[in-house]
Amino acid sequence: MSRVNGTLFRSRDFGTIERFIEPCILLLLSREPTHGYGLMEGLEKHCGEKVDVGDLYRTLRRMEHDGWVNSAWDRKENQRDKRIYTITEEGRAFLKHAVASLKETDELIHHLFRGYQKVYPESNAI
Amino acid sequence: MSRVNGTLFRSRDFGTIERFIEPCILLLLSREPTHGYGLMEGLEKHCGEKVDVGDLYRTLRRMEHDGWVNSAWDRKENQRDKRIYTITEEGRAFLKHAVASLKETDELIHHLFRGYQKVYPESNAI
DNA sequence: TGCTCATATATGTAAATATCATATATCATT
DNA sequence: AATGATATATGATATTTACATATATGAGCA
């Protein structure tokens, strides 16, 4: 627990979406097959803040286990080995589902904004 | 793990926001002090689907511990005892912070939508 | 050569949260 | 007397996140 400007916070930030990294990964892999480390820059743009590297690699292995991505080693001379991930049809299906779910989430958020605006009209919630 | 229309899902639904119930509770309590059971109908409108009752009561006690709400027993004749929760100034501050965080979350979601629309133009993501 | 930094892929562990089940008790209605 | 709605909780487990650490290679430089 910490206190910022008089407001209490618990260890985790508020407002994050569980496993939001997964559709972000799938979208990036929809553009082109990439390895874990290479995904990071793009992910930071999509997911905001910093991406936990350990979380990223574990997520990729889990997504492979779930059948949403495939991986193959890219072994080249004068270059570190890279595990290249490719999106599967199942992965595209999940991404589509995720986008639909996020639309619902988005509606809930805006419902809250509207309610907040009503109760606290001086704020500019919307 | 389950499979719906060929798409794999893990046990939890995708797209849920961690502790989204908390700003929803605080918004409802901003309107009037209420007891746990009484919050449920309003919460289902705010949080979508069904609200886990056990989660609700545990969350309320945790929020009281954090100083965001106060509680007092309402003991009346011919009526079950109710623990009435009231929002505090700290609670209002957290609600304000939560709304601001959710605006950032909302931007991330829409960033993903725009990216999705680019890669899959036939979808109507936005 | 030895040093450091960026690249690259992981695992270990603990804490926070969600989910599902269960317990308990009262009031109103049948 | 039994059932269902009201009302407040706890127990156990699974899931996810956060933070730390391990390991190894290639590039650039003194």
Side-chain angles (χ1 to χ4, degrees):
Chain A
M1 295 268 290
S2 61
R3 193 177 289 261
V4 181
N5 296 334
T7 305
L8 276 167
F9 299 107
R10 297 196 206 94
S11 59
R12 296 196 202 178
D13 264 359
F14 177 82
T16 57
I17 295 170
E18 262 188 308
R19 286 163 37 212
F20 186 68
I21 198 177
E22 296 180 15
C24 293
I25 289 171
L26 291 170
L27 182 59
L28 291 170
L29 295 183
S30 294
R31 304 213 247 263
E32 56 176 345
T34 321
H35 64 292
Y37 198 83
L39 286 168
M40 282 202 288
E41 197 186 348
L43 283 175
E44 271 161 29
K45 280 188 193 140
H46 270 95
C47 302
E49 345 85 71
K50 72 283 165 197
V51 172
D52 185 281
V53 193
D55 186 36
L56 170 59
Y57 284 105
R58 234 185 305 235
T59 299
L60 283 167
R61 304 304 291 277
R62 191 177 56 192
M63 288 168 75
E64 183 170 29
H65 172 267
D66 290 348
W68 299 345
V69 297
N70 290 323
S71 80
W73 283 101
D74 178 25
R75 303 180 200 274
K76 287 204 185 97
E77 296 283 322
N78 306 326
Q79 202 181 261
R80 282 226 48 186
D81 291 355
K82 296 173 186 176
R83 190 191 279 272
I84 304 289
Y85 286 93
T86 309
I87 189 168
T88 64
E89 275 312 303
E90 295 236 356
R92 284 180 213 278
F94 174 74
L95 175 55
K96 189 178 175 182
H97 162 73
V99 167
S101 287
L102 287 169
K103 271 187 206 169
E104 287 174 39
T105 302
D106 193 49
E107 278 164 35
L108 291 179
I109 291 176
H110 282 274
H111 185 237
L112 183 75
F113 286 170
R114 287 191 296 275
Y116 188 74
Q117 185 78 45
K118 262 192 193 173
V119 177
Y120 302 97
E122 75 283 5
S123 76
N124 286 315
I126 309 174
Chain B
M1 295 267 290
S2 62
R3 193 176 289 260
V4 181
N5 296 333
T7 305
L8 275 167
F9 299 106
R10 298 198 204 92
S11 60
R12 295 196 202 176
D13 264 359
F14 177 81
T16 56
I17 296 170
E18 259 189 312
R19 283 162 40 211
F20 186 67
I21 198 176
E22 296 180 15
C24 294
I25 289 171
L26 290 170
L27 181 60
L28 291 169
L29 294 183
S30 294
R31 305 213 246 264
E32 57 174 346
T34 321
H35 63 293
Y37 197 84
L39 286 168
M40 282 202 288
E41 196 186 349
L43 283 175
E44 271 161 29
K45 280 189 192 141
H46 269 95
C47 302
E49 345 83 74
K50 73 285 164 195
V51 171
D52 185 282
V53 193
D55 187 36
L56 170 59
Y57 283 105
R58 237 187 302 237
T59 300
L60 284 167
R61 304 304 291 277
R62 191 176 57 191
M63 290 169 75
E64 183 169 30
H65 171 266
D66 290 349
W68 300 345
V69 297
N70 290 324
S71 79
W73 282 102
D74 177 26
R75 303 181 200 274
K76 287 205 187 96
E77 296 283 321
N78 305 327
Q79 201 181 263
R80 282 225 48 186
D81 290 355
K82 296 173 187 175
R83 190 191 279 272
I84 304 289
Y85 285 92
T86 308
I87 189 170
T88 64
E89 275 312 304
E90 295 236 355
R92 284 180 212 278
F94 174 74
L95 175 55
K96 189 178 175 181
H97 163 73
V99 167
S101 288
L102 288 169
K103 271 187 208 170
E104 286 174 38
T105 302
D106 193 49
E107 278 165 34
L108 292 179
I109 291 176
H110 282 273
H111 185 237
L112 182 77
F113 286 170
R114 286 190 298 274
Y116 188 74
Q117 184 78 42
K118 263 192 192 170
V119 177
Y120 302 98
E122 75 284 5
S123 75
N124 286 314
I126 309 174

